[in-house]
């Protein structure tokens, strides 16, 4: 089954409510460019665990050329969009202005820039952990253990 990048973008945008993506001044081309970047980085992280070649894609037609099984598509889209969420969080967690505010904040309150950055970093770590766990679970559930060459060690 051929899957479009738009299938991933649609699910990703349902998972995040970012004002930038709702801005009427943001062109569809720019929105697509940003989402495709998140998609490609998430695919790079999930490719080895997936069992499908996520690099087998056409950026011109914005489709994956890999023949995904119909049973796997929803799960793969969900896992990769979790990775896209983690990629979306990353710039907020690594924002130099936020770091500077953290270092200069003497009054560490619930509303301080330091506390906000701490919460953003925590949310990023949770998103990244969720993505990794979902990828690992997929790999365990769909992997073929017969390819492993295990030998029993006798003591």
């Amino acid at each position: 089954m051929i899957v479009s990048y738009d299938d991933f973008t649609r699910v990703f945008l349902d998972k995040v409510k970012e004002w930038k993506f709702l801005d009427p001044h943001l062109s569809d081309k720019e929105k697509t460019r940003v989402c495709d970047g998140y998609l490609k980085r998430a695919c790079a992280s999930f490719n080895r665990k997936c069992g499908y070649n996520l690099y087998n894609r056409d950026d011109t037609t914005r489709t994956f050329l890999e023949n995904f099984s119909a049973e796997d598509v929803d799960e793969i889209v969900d896992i990769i969009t979790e990775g896209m969420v983690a990629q979306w969080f990353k710039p907020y967690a690594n924002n130099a202005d936020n770091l500077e505010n953290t270092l200069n904040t003497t009054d560490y309150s619930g509303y301080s820039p330091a506390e906000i950055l701490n919460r953003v970093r925590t949310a990023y770590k949770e998103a990244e952990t969720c993505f990794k766990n979902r990828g690992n679970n997929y790999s365990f559930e769909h992997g073929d253990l017969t390819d492993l060459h295990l030998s029993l060690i006798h003591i």
Side-chain angles (χ1 to χ4, degrees), residues 15 22 24 29 47 75-76 91 129:
K15 291 182 178 189
L22 302 174
K29 184 176 182 178
N47 189 60
E75 188 174 12
I76 290 171
T129 299

Side-chain angles (χ1 to χ4, degrees), residues 39-88:
L39 173 68
K40 290 174 185 177
R41 289 191 298 275
C43 286
S45 296
F46 183 52
N47 189 60
R48 289 188 350 175
K49 298 175 189 173
C50 182
Y52 292 99
N53 182 359
L54 299 176
Y55 295 116
N56 186 13
R57 60 184 183 233
D58 185 344
D59 289 338
T60 305
T61 61
R62 299 184 63 251
T63 56
F64 285 86
L65 303 176
E66 191 71 13
N67 189 16
F68 295 107
S69 92
E71 298 85 34
D72 290 342
V73 170
D74 289 339
E75 188 174 12
I76 290 171
V77 168
D78 192 47
I79 292 169
I80 291 174
T81 55
E82 287 297 323
M84 291 171 71
V85 169
Q87 292 300 320
W88 169 73

Side-chain angles (χ1 to χ4, degrees), residues 94-107:
N94 295 330
N95 185 313
D97 291 337
N98 288 340
L99 180 59
E100 183 178 323
N101 286 336
T102 301
L103 298 175
N104 292 332
T105 299
T106 57
D107 181 17

Side-chain angles (χ1 to χ4, degrees), residues 89 108-110 113-124 126:
F89 261 120
Y108 191 84
S109 68
E115 176 62 15
I116 292 169
L117 179 60
N118 185 38
R119 290 175 190 249
V120 167
R121 285 188 173 157
T122 299
Y124 166 70
E126 288 173 1

